C-alpha cells in the first residue's frame, strides 16, 4: 500500500528557514535524492541557532521518550560530522555541574539516579573527584557534583554552513533575503488541502512538499497554511569573549553553582573563545526580556568570580535571541494532519536534536515512513488534550 504521505521519488521540497533544523533537514533530504529549495528570510543561521549555547545533552529532558530522542541524537553527531565532511568544531568531554546548597545536592543526586536508570551515564562526584578531573578549577563551596561524560558542544554556524554547502553540492538551491509571505493550498474534492507552492511576495515556488523550520517564527509561518502551533518563546543571551588559553583539561561544558541564581554556564570553542550563557542577574526577568549592557557586565563579573581566568577578558560579542518552545516543552515534528504534505519541525534543544530530526524528517518526507520514535511528537497531541 502506498504510504499516506507518499511523494514522487525525487520530490521537490521547499524548506523554509535556514537555521540548524532547516539546514539539517535540507542536507538529509538531498542525501535521499530530493530536489531541495531552501528559503530564508534573512541570512542562514542568524536566528535562535546563532545565540544557542549549543550544549549537546539529554540532562533535563523529560519524559523518557523525549530524553531518548535527545540521547539518540547525541550519539548521531559523529556520523553527522563524517557525512558533512567538514570541521564543525564538535567538542566532547562531558558536562560538569555542582551545587552549593543542601537542596541542590539532593536535586542533583535525584536527577543522577533517574538518568542512570535511563542508561544515561551521569555520575555523582565529590570535591576530590572534581579536583582530579579538573585540577585548575577554583572549587570553593560545593555540596555535590555530577558529571555526564557523553555531552559535548558544537559551533552552530559551522554546522549550518556545512549542511548548506553539502546540500548545494547535491543540487539544492538557497534563496536568502526571501521572507515567505504565503503558502498556496489546493483542494481537490473532499481531500484535505495540499501545499502547491510557497510564495515570496509575488513569486511562487511550486513544490511536492514543504518543510517549515522557522524557529520562534513558526506560529506565523504555520498560520499561512491555517495551522495553529502551540509554541511560545523566551529570550536568551550568550556572551562571547576574546580567545584565551584553554580553561578545561577534560570537560566540555561547565555549570558551577547551578542552584544559585544567576547561574553562569561555560564552554570554550577550539579557537579559545569562551561562550558564557547566563540567567538574567536579577533572576526576575529571565526569559521575558533581552539582556542590557549592565546585565552583561554583572554576568561577566559573576563569571570571573567562578573562573578567575576570565578576569579582565574582553567581551567580543553578545548574542541575543528567542528560543522556540512548544507548549509542553517537547518537540513538534511531522506532517500536519490538516495539510498532509506540510512538514513541521520546531523544538527547544534543536542543536542537540539536529541530526535525528534531519535524518528522520527526510525519511518521512521522501520515503513516506512513519517513524515510531516520532509518534509522541506530532502536533496533533495538542488537539487531543
Ligand atoms: C540562549 C539559548 C540557549 C540555547 N541553548 C541550547 C543548548 O544548550 N542546547 C540545545 O540543544 N539547544 C539550545 N537552544 C535551543 C536551540 O538553539 C534551538 O532549538 C535551535 O537553534 C532552533 O533552530 P531552528 O532552526 O528551529 O530555528 P532558528 O535558528 O531560529 O532558524 C529559523 C530560521 O527561519 C527563518 N524564518 C523565519 N520566518 C521565516 C519566513 N517567513 N520566511 C523565511 N524564513 C523564515 C529565520 O530567519 C531563521 O533563520 C538554545 C537557544 C537559545 C536562544
Amino acid at each position: 500500500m502506498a504510504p499516506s504521505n507518499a511523494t514522487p521519488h525525487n520530490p521537490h521540497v521547499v524548506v523554509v528557514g535556514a537555521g540548524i533544523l532547516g539546514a539539517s533537514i535540507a542536507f538529509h533530504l538531498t542525501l535521499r535524492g530530493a530536489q531541495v529549495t531552501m528559503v530564508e528570510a534573512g541570512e542562514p543561521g542568524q536566528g535562535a541557532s546563532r545565540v544557542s549555547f549549543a550544549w549537546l545533552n539529554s540532562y533535563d529532558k523529560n519524559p523518557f521518550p523525549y530524553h531518548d530522542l535527545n540521547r539518540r541524537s547525541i550519539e548521531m553527531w559523529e556520523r553527522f560530522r563524517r557525512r558533512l565532511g567538514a570541521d564543525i568544531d564538535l567538542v566532547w568531554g562531558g558536562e560538569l555541574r555542582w551545587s552549593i546548597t543542601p537542596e541542590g545536592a539532593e536535586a542533583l543526586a535525584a536527577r543522577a539516579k533517574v538518568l542512570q536508570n535511563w542508561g544515561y551515564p551521569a555520575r555523582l562526584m565529590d570535591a576530590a573527584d572534581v579536583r582530579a578531573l579538573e585540577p585548575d578549577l577554583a572549587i570553593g563551596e560545593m555540596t555535590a557534583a555530577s558529571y555526564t561524560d557523553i555531552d559535548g558542544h558544537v559551533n552552530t554556524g559551522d554546522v549550518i554552513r556545512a549542511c548548506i554547502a553539502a546540500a548545494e553540492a547535491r543540487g539544492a538551491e538557497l534563496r536568502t533575503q526571501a521572507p515567505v509571505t504565503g503558502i498556496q493550498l489546493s483542494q481537490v474534492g473532499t481531500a484535505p488541502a495540499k501545499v502547491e507552492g510557497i510564495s515570496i511576495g509575488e513569486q511562487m515556488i511550486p513544490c511536492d512538499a514543504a518543510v517549515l523550520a522557522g524557529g520562534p517564527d513558526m506560529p506565523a509561518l504555520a498560520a499561512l497554511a491555517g495551522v495553529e502551533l502551540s509554541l511560545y518563546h523566551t529570550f536568551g543571551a550568550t556572551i562571547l569573549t576574546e580567545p584565551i588559553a584553554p580553561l578545561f583539561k577534560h570537560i566540555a561544558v561547565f555549570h558551577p553553582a547551578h542552584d544559585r541564581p544567576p547561574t553562569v554556564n561555560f564552554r570554550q570553542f577550539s579557537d579559545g573563545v569562551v561562550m558564557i550563557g547566563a540567567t538574567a542577574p536579577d533572576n526576575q526577568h529571565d526569559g521575558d526580556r533581552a539582556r542590557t549592557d549592565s546585565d552583561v557586565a554583572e554576568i561577566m563579573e559573576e563569571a570571573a568570580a567562578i573562573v578567575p581566568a576570565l578576569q579582565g577578558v574582553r567581551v567580543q560579542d553578545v548574542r541575543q535571541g528567542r528560543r522556540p518552545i512548544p507548549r509542553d516543552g517537547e518537540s513538534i515534528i511531522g506532517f500536519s494532519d490538516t495539510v498532509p504534505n506540510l512538514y513541521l519541525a520546531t523544538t527547544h534543544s534543536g542543536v542537540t536534536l539536529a541530526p535525528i530530526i534531519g535524518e528522520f524528517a527526510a525519511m518521512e518526507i521522501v520515503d513516506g515512513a512513519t517513524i515510531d520514535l516520532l509518534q509522541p511528537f506530532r502536533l496533533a497531541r495538542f488537539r487531543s488534550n
Side-chain angles (χ1 to χ4, degrees), residues 146-165:
S146 90
Y147 177 53
T148 310
D149 68 1
I150 66 168
D151 296 2
H153 64 82
V154 74
N155 184 325
T156 53
D158 288 348
V159 176
I160 292 166
R161 277 186 290 278
C163 284
I164 291 173

Side-chain angles (χ1 to χ4, degrees), residues 187-201:
Q187 187 148 20
V188 180
T190 55
K194 292 184 96 177
V195 179
E196 201 162 73
I198 295 293
S199 299
I200 304 161

Side-chain angles (χ1 to χ4, degrees), residues 16-22 39-57 61 160 178-181 213-217 221 224 234-238 321-324 345-353:
V16 181
I20 198 157
L21 286 189
V39 181
E40 166 54 50
E43 294 299 322
Q46 299 302 301
S49 303
R50 177 173 182 273
V51 182
S52 191
F53 190 66
W55 169 30
L56 309 178
N57 79 98
K61 318 291 167 73
I160 292 166
V180 166
T181 50
D217 294 319
L221 260 180
L224 297 174
T234 58
F235 286 98
T238 43
R322 295 167 295 151
R323 347 171 140 71
T346 189
T347 189
H348 183 50
S349 300
V351 179
T352 303
L353 290 165

